[in-house]
Amino acid sequence: MKRRRVIYEGKAKILYEGTEPGTVIQYFKDDATAGNGAKKDTIEGKGVLNNRISEYLMTQLAGIGVPTHFVRRLNMREQLIKEVEIIPLEVVVRNVAAGSMSKRLGIEEGTALPRSIIEYYYKNDALNDPWVSEEHITAFGWASPQDLDDMVNLTIRINDFLSGLFLGAGIKLVDFKLEFGRLWENDFMRIVLADEISPDNCRLWDVTTNEKLDKDRFRRDMGGVVEAYSEVARRLGIMPESIQGENKGPVLVK
Ligand code: UDP
């Protein structure tokens, strides 16, 4: 037996060498961290839910022509993705004030923004992912002006599409974080959506009650994390079977 090679282990995911050249296996762990690793826990079932939710959202986005790294889901916790060169930026889109924007700018959480706002953070744990501007990004060569232009255009389309998709499920897309990568195909390079889109990196609020259905339940010690993620999957109509059956007691066989 041969042990497969770990390429990278992050806070919530492990990347393994893929089965074909140019591919990687993305494994979703149950681990959750907040505050750059200051708060840690294991939330049973989270990895399975994020794998399924991210598969669904990436597939829907591919359906409207957004290029992504996603190839196919392999099993409950793993998906095959294309190997890309990750751009070291977190692209955050906000539709409603919350989290760090509310704190930094003194805008009450829940205030609708006059328009969607895009922010960039430099991916660097040692520096706590600092807020940066387009000036920093192009001056330090993290992305070229053309890369940035592609990322912004994709981000706007993704936000418009996902806002509508979630609204149809009774969910407000408050804000979310995206990551992009460079995909090389022969001599050509394309910017594609990478990482994951799940309640770990989106703020999702019930449209009528504003109940939080995302990682803020973990960050703010509210409890009911896996129940909230399950509710998102249920409303999207993609509840994984292995979770669906859990905690429901015995099933009456007729
Ligand atoms: N986010 C993320 N990873 C990070 C920081 C933020 O996925 O390292 C997401 C977060 O889930 C939220 C959005 O980006 O949906 C905006 O987060 P914010 O800047 O408000 O930071 P936070 O309050 O989460 O520290």
Side-chain angles (χ1 to χ4, degrees), residues 75-93:
N75 54 50
M76 298 300 282
R77 285 188 184 271
E78 296 176 332
Q79 47 184 245
L80 191 69
I81 58 174
K82 292 177 195 153
E83 187 174 19
V84 299
E85 192 183 292
I86 288 286
I87 293 169
L89 295 173
E90 299 199 335
V91 180
V92 168
V93 195

Side-chain angles (χ1 to χ4, degrees), residues 15 24 31 35 54 56 67 81 85 94 119 147 176 222 241:
L15 299 182
V24 170
D31 297 353
S54 197
Y56 177 72
I81 58 174
E85 192 183 292
R94 302 179 185 273
E119 297 173 349
D147 293 342
F176 59 104
M222 299 167 77
E241 272 169 36

Side-chain angles (χ1 to χ4, degrees), residues 66-197:
V66 171
T68 84
H69 72 163
F70 181 81
V71 180
R72 64 177 178 275
R73 188 164 61 86
L74 297 171
N75 54 50
M76 298 300 282
R77 285 188 184 271
E78 296 176 332
Q79 47 184 245
L80 191 69
I81 58 174
K82 292 177 195 153
E83 187 174 19
V84 299
E85 192 183 292
I86 288 286
I87 293 169
L89 295 173
E90 299 199 335
V91 180
V92 168
V93 195
R94 302 179 185 273
N95 300 307
V96 174
S100 72
M101 170 184 251
S102 291
K103 273 203 207 101
R104 190 184 298 125
L105 304 179
I107 306 170
E108 198 188 340
E109 279 216 326
T111 309
L113 298 173
R115 61 185 172 85
S116 301
I117 294 175
I118 299 179
E119 297 173 349
Y120 308 98
Y121 296 83
Y122 177 44
K123 258 169 78 77
N124 184 319
D125 282 344
L127 299 175
N128 246 324
D129 299 345
W131 198 14
V132 293
S133 72
E134 295 193 3
E135 290 279 292
H136 300 104
I137 296 168
T138 52
F140 295 125
W142 299 324
S144 69
Q146 180 63 57
D147 293 342
L148 251 183
D149 203 43
D150 290 353
M151 285 193 280
V152 168
N153 286 328
L154 288 172
T155 299
I156 294 168
R157 286 179 65 201
I158 293 167
N159 183 45
D160 285 348
F161 179 77
L162 291 185
S163 292
L165 185 147
F166 277 116
L167 199 57
I171 294 171
K172 206 187 286 178
L173 181 57
V174 170
D175 58 30
F176 59 104
K177 184 260 299 183
L178 299 174
E179 292 188 25
F180 293 92
R182 296 188 186 91
L183 178 66
W184 290 91
E185 280 164 342
N186 301 318
D187 289 343
F188 294 93
M189 186 277 287
R190 271 201 300 170
I191 299 291
V192 303
L193 179 63
D195 193 50
E196 67 175 287
I197 308 180

